[in-house]
Amino acid sequence: MTFAENEVHLALHVLNTYEGEQSDRVHKAVIRLSNGDLHLLACWAGGATQQEVETLLWFAGATEPGATGKQIFGAQWMNSFYDRNRLASLGDVS
């Protein structure tokens, strides 16, 4: 896998973000929630250290069979929020 030059720091951030007791569950959750997008992966992984892990795992439930409408809406809303922040930060680069 290759990363764009401006995304290498995101890849490193993801690798070093969460080392807690539930690290496997957290990493699998952020991979599912990001759907392969490196920027989203870094955002979700960064959130795992800033919020309750159980909240992150609840959002990840949106990717599983039997997900509730609230989980699906919440995960989609967070992904669009992270995308808006990415677009805003790209606009700041001169």
Side-chain angles (χ1 to χ4, degrees), residues 18-63:
Y18 191 83
E19 297 176 356
E21 180 180 309
Q22 300 184 54
S23 63
D24 278 348
R25 289 179 69 201
V26 169
H27 287 122
K28 287 177 185 176
V30 299
I31 289 167
R32 288 194 320 262
L33 286 164
S34 67
N35 198 29
D37 183 296
L38 184 58
H39 175 80
L40 295 177
L41 181 68
C43 290
W44 283 108
T49 61
Q50 299 166 10
Q51 64 186 354
E52 294 288 326
V53 171
E54 290 305 316
T55 302
L56 174 76
L57 297 176
W58 181 85
F59 277 116
T63 64

Side-chain angles (χ1 to χ4, degrees), residues 5-23:
E5 188 175 320
N6 63 342
E7 292 184 329
V8 172
H9 73 284
L10 295 176
L12 294 174
H13 173 72
V14 169
L15 292 174
N16 296 314
T17 297
Y18 191 83
E19 297 176 356
E21 180 180 309
Q22 300 184 54
S23 63

